[in-house]
Amino acid sequence: MSSLPTTPFSVHGGCFCKAITYTIFIPAFESRPLLDSERHPPKRAFGAQTKVAARLPVISLDHCNSCRRISGAIIQAWFICPQRWATFSLLARNTSSDSNTSEERITPKTTAEVLRPSKELEEATYIKVFDSSEQAHRTFCGRCGTPLSFLYSGLGDEMSKEENWGPYFDIALGTLEKESAEIEGMRPGRQGWLDDGIGWVKQVFDEGGKSLGIEKVDTV
């Protein structure tokens, strides 16, 4: 299986209507935080786990019931990385619809400001947050409705400490621009919350199309 580039690269994405966009800059391989694979190995890995998979980012399929219901997708996929790698650009609500007028955008100083936006930022832009639990914070676009990110704010997360990964977050993989989603190696390498998964979905990943009665058809 192909791996993500070991050289620095960037990915771009955002919501459907572009009111919220982001750029994530992934540094050279040696500068990426190491995963804690010994204490927290992937429960179900996809393909060979190359050396690149030993460092962030993590691309994971999430079978969690909450993520499935909130996203409206039968399974959620996340791109997990340090907050410091990301920059967001938010369309200001007072931007004129006049095509001759350049749009006004707001660039928060930190990703943390976007993941748990203040009332002032929510009122000034289209970023919205929904707390699915006391420690689970999910952003979405208030104009087109696209679910964007997930943040866990619990104090027991060892990997969020500066000596480990530092503060990190999940961005919905489906919000990447097509060019970014097609970068070599941009695919899930693990699964999480398998106990919550829908039976036939897990079976598809185990058995492929055969579990749905789909046979390979040769095309001319």
Side-chain angles (χ1 to χ4, degrees):
M1 179 180 288
S2 59
S3 301
L4 289 171
T6 57
T7 54
F9 67 100
S10 296
V11 296
H12 307 276
C15 66
F16 179 76
C17 72
K18 306 297 185 185
I20 302 167
T21 61
Y22 62 81
T23 296
I24 299 175
F25 175 76
I26 297 88
F29 176 72
E30 296 78 9
S31 298
R32 303 171 195 172
L34 280 166
L35 303 185
D36 189 10
S37 299
E38 291 187 2
R39 286 193 297 170
H40 304 290
K43 292 183 178 180
R44 188 73 62 85
F46 290 131
Q49 297 295 291
T50 65
K51 73 167 188 175
V52 177
R55 293 178 180 268
L56 290 178
V58 168
I59 305 175
S60 178
L61 294 176
D62 187 348
H63 293 268
C64 149
N65 182 62
S66 296
C67 292
R68 181 174 64 253
R69 295 293 302 278
I70 291 170
S71 69
I74 199 64
I75 191 170
Q76 177 67 278
W78 297 112
F79 183 96
I80 305 169
C81 70
Q83 295 179 22
R84 61 183 179 274
W85 289 2
T87 302
F88 282 81
S89 175
L90 312 176
L91 180 67
R93 283 182 178 268
N94 61 4
T95 296
S96 171
S97 59
D98 184 351
S99 59
N100 295 320
T101 304
S102 60
E103 63 181 23
E104 179 186 350
R105 300 191 71 91
I106 296 172
T107 302
K109 293 181 179 179
T110 67
T111 298
E113 295 175 58
V114 176
L115 301 177
R116 299 184 70 178
S118 64
K119 180 180 179 180
E120 291 74 19
L121 189 62
E122 285 190 312
E123 292 176 347
T125 70
Y126 294 95
I127 190 72
K128 290 291 182 182
V129 65
F130 168 65
D131 297 334
S132 55
S133 74
E134 185 178 351
Q135 300 171 330
H137 317 283
R138 303 168 185 271
T139 62
F140 63 97
C141 176
R143 188 165 76 168
C144 68
T146 303
L148 287 160
S149 69
F150 173 84
L151 173 69
Y152 175 72
S153 63
L155 298 178
D157 188 353
E158 290 292 322
M159 301 316 295
S160 66
K161 293 182 177 179
E162 291 294 345
E163 62 267 27
N164 295 317
W165 299 356
Y168 65 95
F169 76 114
D170 305 3
I171 195 80
L173 190 64
T175 64
L176 288 177
E177 298 290 350
K178 190 171 188 290
E179 294 77 8
S180 294
E182 292 182 336
I183 288 175
E184 188 80 8
M186 187 65 72
R187 61 187 69 182
R190 59 176 64 193
Q191 301 181 69
W193 299 94
L194 283 169
D195 291 343
D196 281 2
I198 302 299
W200 66 262
V201 175
K202 294 188 288 184
Q203 191 176 4
V204 167
F205 285 108
D206 287 339
E207 303 176 11
K210 292 181 180 179
S211 65
L212 297 177
I214 300 172
E215 299 295 335
K216 182 177 180 181
V217 178
D218 293 328
T219 57
V220 177

